[in-house]
Amino acid sequence: QAEDGIRDQPRSRGLGDVYKRQVQPDKVPERAIDGKPTIYTYATCPFSLKVKSLLKSRGIEFSNVEVDPMKKTELQWSDWKKVPVFVDIDGTHVNDSNDILHYIDENNGNNFPRDGEDAEQDKWMNFSNEILGKSIVAVIYKNYRTSLHALDYVTKVDKFSLKDRIVSKWLGAVIMRMIGRSRAKMFDQPPRTNLQTQLDSMSSGIKGGFFGGEDPNGADFANYGILRSMQGLNGFDIVESHGVIWPWYNRMQILSDM
C-alpha cells in the first residue's frame, strides 16, 4: 500500500515540527543498502516518485529497494508498512513522502522552506496528496478497461511474483475500479473535467517557472511525482495538452532526469 496522504492526526504548524514527527527515533543503519541513502518503494508509486525526483535533481546517489506489494517482506523491519520509507546513511528513517522531501532538503542544501514556514508551499504540497493524487486515480481507473490497462502496467513494473501478478492484474482491476469510483465521488465534476480543473488551479501557483519561482521548492517535487506516475496511462493527454502544466512538467522532467 502506498501512502494515501490524509492523516488521522491533525498537523501541527510549528516550524519544522511537522515533518520531524515522521523522523523515527530508532536508527537502522543496516537498512541503508551499500552505504547509500535508501528508498523502499514500488516502481509506480506516485509518492515514491516525489522522493526519487528530488534525489535525482540533487545528484544524490541512492539505493532503491523494490517492495513486494503483496508480502511486503522488505519492510518487515518497519512498523510502517506503506511506501515510501527513506533510510539515510546513518540509519535515520523517515516515513511519508512530503516529510521525506523536507528531510532530504534540510540535509542536502536546505533550498526550500520547512513545513509551516511558507503557507503557499504548504498549500500546494498538501494539494498533491489530498486533491491531485485522488484526481488522477479517478481518471486512471475510470472504468474496467482503463483499470485493466493500468494494472497490466503496474504488475509488470512492480515487484510481483508471477502468481501474484496474474491475480493482482485481474482482481486488482476490479478493486481499483471501485476505488476510482469512490475517488470520483469526492469531486463535483466528472473525472476528466475535474482533473482539468485541478490542473488549472495548480497552474495558478506556478510563478516564474516553478512553484518556488525561479527554482523548484517542495511543492514542485510533490506534484511532479504524482503526475509522473500517470505518464503512459489513461488521462495523461490532459496533462500533455495543458498550456501551463505541460511546460512545467517538462522542466521538472529535465531537472530530475526521470
Side-chain angles (χ1 to χ4, degrees):
Q1 181 181 5
E3 66 181 66
D4 195 28
I6 295 181
R7 300 172 176 81
D8 295 329
Q9 301 176 10
R11 289 199 134 206
S12 160
R13 304 313 300 171
L15 300 184
D17 177 62
V18 176
Y19 92 86
K20 287 180 180 176
R21 183 168 58 78
Q22 293 291 348
V23 177
Q24 303 305 298
D26 298 326
K27 294 190 176 182
V28 286
E30 69 278 8
R31 301 301 173 183
I33 307 302
D34 296 330
K36 299 176 183 178
T38 301
I39 180 171
Y40 290 77
T41 179
Y42 308 147
T44 60
C45 169
F47 305 102
S48 299
L49 291 171
K50 296 183 186 186
V51 178
K52 291 179 183 179
S53 67
L54 177 58
L55 290 168
K56 285 176 170 285
S57 75
R58 299 285 170 85
I60 300 171
E61 291 190 15
F62 64 94
S63 295
N64 185 80
V65 176
E66 291 290 333
V67 175
D68 183 321
M70 304 294 284
K71 301 180 179 66
K72 300 180 183 176
T73 308
E74 297 79 5
L75 285 177
Q76 283 184 346
W77 57 271
S78 174
D79 292 335
W80 183 265
K81 300 305 180 186
K82 302 176 183 180
V83 297
V85 173
F86 180 78
V87 181
D88 210 345
I89 55 175
D90 67 348
T92 300
H93 62 114
V94 191
N95 306 325
D96 186 283
S97 60
N98 284 351
D99 293 341
I100 295 171
L101 293 179
H102 280 294
Y103 175 85
I104 292 172
D105 180 67
E106 184 178 54
N107 291 278
N108 296 274
N110 208 27
N111 293 342
F112 55 78
R114 300 284 68 79
D115 197 341
E117 296 178 346
D118 185 316
E120 275 294 297
Q121 178 184 260
D122 293 347
K123 169 186 172 181
W124 293 112
M125 289 186 79
N126 290 335
F127 173 90
S128 74
N129 286 352
E130 297 172 10
I131 303 297
L132 188 61
K134 292 172 173 55
S135 295
I136 71 166
V137 168
V139 174
I140 293 171
Y141 302 102
K142 183 179 179 181
N143 55 47
Y144 185 71
R145 180 184 59 79
T146 62
S147 298
L148 192 60
H149 171 66
L151 266 296
D152 181 61
Y153 170 71
V154 168
T155 54
K156 286 178 179 176
V157 174
D158 283 341
K159 187 181 178 181
F160 285 90
S161 67
L162 179 59
K163 177 182 176 182
D164 288 341
R165 184 182 306 158
I166 295 170
V167 173
S168 296
K169 175 181 175 179
W170 296 97
L171 180 59
V174 175
I175 294 171
M176 291 308 300
R177 170 65 192 109
M178 295 170 61
I179 293 174
R181 186 177 298 168
S182 72
R183 292 293 184 264
K185 290 179 180 178
M186 297 175 63
F187 305 101
D188 294 332
Q189 298 174 310
R192 286 183 62 90
T193 306
N194 172 67
L195 180 57
Q196 177 69 51
T197 297
Q198 302 306 339
L199 295 183
D200 290 344
S201 174
M202 180 178 156
S203 67
S204 69
I206 299 173
K207 304 184 186 335
F210 299 97
F211 283 100
E214 294 183 0
D215 298 297
N217 65 14
D220 289 285
F221 295 104
N223 286 286
Y224 174 70
I226 298 294
L227 292 181
R228 178 63 183 81
S229 71
M230 193 185 194
Q231 188 168 320
L233 300 178
N234 183 59
F236 193 68
D237 60 293
I238 303 170
V239 179
E240 293 175 311
S241 63
H242 198 282
V244 174
I245 298 304
W246 184 236
W248 166 83
Y249 183 93
N250 281 292
R251 287 190 290 272
M252 289 300 298
Q253 193 160 41
I254 292 169
L255 183 72
S256 64
D257 190 28
M258 189 182 78

